[in-house]
Amino acid sequence: MRGAPGGRGDLPERSTPTPPGEDGHARGHTADENSGSVPERERLTAFPGHDSADGYGGHGAAAGSRGQHQVTLRSPAELADALPYLLGYRPEDSVVLVAVHERDGRGRFGGRARLGIPAQDDDWPAVAEQLAHGLVTGSERRGARPESMVAFFCQEPRHGESGRDVMERLRPLAQLLRLACGRFEVPVVEALCIADGRFWSYCCPGDRCCSGEGEAMGLPGTSVLAAATAYAGLQVRGTLRELRVRLTPWENAAAPEQEAALGAADSALLPRLLRDESRAEVAEETLGLAGRLLRRLADAPPVPGTLQADLRDDELVDQEEAAALILGLQDRTTRDRAAEWMEGEEAGPALRLWRTLARRCVGSYGEHAAAPLTLAGWVAWSSGDELEAREALAMALAADPDYLFARLLHQACNEGLDPESVRRCLRAEREDHAAPAAAGPGPRGRKDRTGPGRPGRPRRTRTEKGPGARAARRPAARSGARRRPHDSAPPAGQGPGRGTDAAGGKPPGGAVQGADRGSGGRVEAEEV
């Protein structure tokens, strides 16, 4: 693959998913492709860039086949169309960097990283440096340093702007990113701005091949790549914003009533959670209620559409039940037990329940959403949905940056670790505290293991500085300011976090936690 360190040169060709193999199943994901819809055995090959004439007809060139199961992308238009299939969703207000690995004159896409575009351009140098550093070093950790990069800048026009205005406004960010990648000696061979249904190339040498008004994007789902992806049984979702809505607390007329229910449950349960002698009883009550709600959700007939499905689930869980569960899950031992609903027929209803509870953490109880969001992220990851897993876990860390279980899972998911190691730990825990007298059948027909610990041995309560540690750090001037048990590091070999010890206890290297700096709400790398 040709390409100069300054960022000009050959563009990568993108091939489509391989159709199902002889066993009738689509191929799995490779180790360096941890997000999106890209299956294993996809390939890239080099093709000439903007200033070359051999074999490349410019931006309008058509795609052609190079093999029975390969579609070659010959133009930036096709590269722009490929972005949702690389990520598995349609990015908004985002800068996306994609690694390209070359082998015998052909290549393949590797890791991808996405950051929200900060509203303040003062933050752009740090974002460019973080994005380049995170993707290059992350690829090196996987043993494959990229030979080149492709960058995408996606943002819709502000009020009074045109798509061309967006392209010009983001040009300094594109240059900063190209320079940052150049410092790692990895050239950016193509950089596309996608706005208002059109795209522009920052690598184009002039008006010879690119219109100043940009080129129109094709209709979604009409390209050869889209057809091949659909044939492979892969799905491209909507936007991250649509996904986050399913996990975001209510802001409707029912929110004050839910907050009042949370206040009542807080007054009733918090004193019991703070006493060792009653904490086990609260755990049993919480897990018993969760088991009943899981069966209720599992028995409900399906409805079409995510919005209607979420509204139906909201109707199935009343305010008092949601409040009791949210408060009960603030105890870490109880939360760890709830994480055991993670696979098989239990996973679907569990994920729906945790989403429902996350939407109920309204008003002053926003920090309490860390527990159900972490459980939602864990079940999604365990079920193979890394996109929702990363979003849910990132939202959990936004609700409580000190929530260690979310931090460990988020890093493990981003680094492409296998969730089976965590599942094994939780299965062992489930077997350990199976009691002879179980409460009843669970969603999968098992006995409902809702006991607080192993028979004959009290389960240790794992708090860092006492149950009231978090309360000491939180203002209590208004009645809505609540306390909840602190989530702290588990002892070695204890709890589901032990399955992610390889990830360490640090936040993902690509994450910038903190203020609302972009139109997407936070600046955070999805994958490195």
Side-chain angles (χ1 to χ4, degrees), residues 330-353:
Q330 303 312 305
D331 177 69
R332 210 185 78 164
T333 300
T334 308
R335 179 211 63 198
D336 289 356
R337 296 287 305 279
E340 296 167 6
W341 286 304
M342 60 185 173
E343 56 189 338
E345 295 178 1
E346 295 175 340
L351 181 56
R352 290 162 54 194
L353 178 58

Side-chain angles (χ1 to χ4, degrees), residues 185-263:
E185 299 183 351
V186 181
V188 175
V189 296
E190 182 57 280
L192 298 178
C193 177
I194 301 174
D196 198 24
R198 308 184 74 81
F199 73 89
W200 292 258
S201 172
Y202 292 117
C203 297
C204 183
D207 294 333
R208 289 185 300 152
C209 59
C210 297
S211 166
E213 299 305 314
E215 302 294 333
M217 298 279 293
L219 292 175
T222 60
S223 66
V224 178
L225 178 60
T229 302
Y231 180 75
L234 302 172
Q235 180 184 8
V236 175
R237 302 190 186 186
T239 65
L240 290 181
R241 185 177 305 170
E242 294 169 354
L243 180 58
R244 294 185 191 115
V245 165
R246 308 191 71 185
L247 302 166
T248 301
W250 285 350
E251 292 183 359
N252 54 23
E257 296 180 3
Q258 181 63 66
E259 187 171 10
L262 285 164

Side-chain angles (χ1 to χ4, degrees), residues 72-92:
T72 299
L73 304 184
R74 298 181 182 274
S75 69
E78 292 164 347
L79 193 62
D81 178 76
L83 179 58
Y85 305 97
L86 281 173
L87 299 179
Y89 62 92
R90 303 187 183 280
E92 293 181 321

Side-chain angles (χ1 to χ4, degrees), residues 86-172:
L86 281 173
L87 299 179
Y89 62 92
R90 303 187 183 280
E92 293 181 321
D93 296 322
S94 300
V95 51
V96 180
L97 193 62
V98 183
V100 180
H101 302 280
E102 186 179 357
R103 182 182 303 167
D104 299 328
R106 300 168 69 85
R108 63 181 298 176
F109 282 142
R112 283 87 69 201
R114 184 200 69 89
L115 288 172
I117 298 177
Q120 302 299 323
D121 54 13
D122 291 345
D123 295 325
W124 289 1
V127 165
E129 191 68 29
Q130 176 193 346
L131 198 60
H133 177 270
L135 189 54
V136 171
T137 57
S139 298
E140 288 176 337
R141 283 199 303 269
R142 296 189 179 101
R145 180 182 175 86
E147 280 72 35
S148 57
M149 299 281 194
V150 177
F152 301 85
F153 302 83
C154 308
Q155 193 171 72
E156 288 305 299
R158 299 169 180 171
H159 180 70
E161 274 190 330
S162 66
R164 182 182 176 87
D165 293 334
V166 175
M167 183 271 292
E168 294 295 348
R169 177 166 51 81
L170 296 181
R171 186 184 292 276

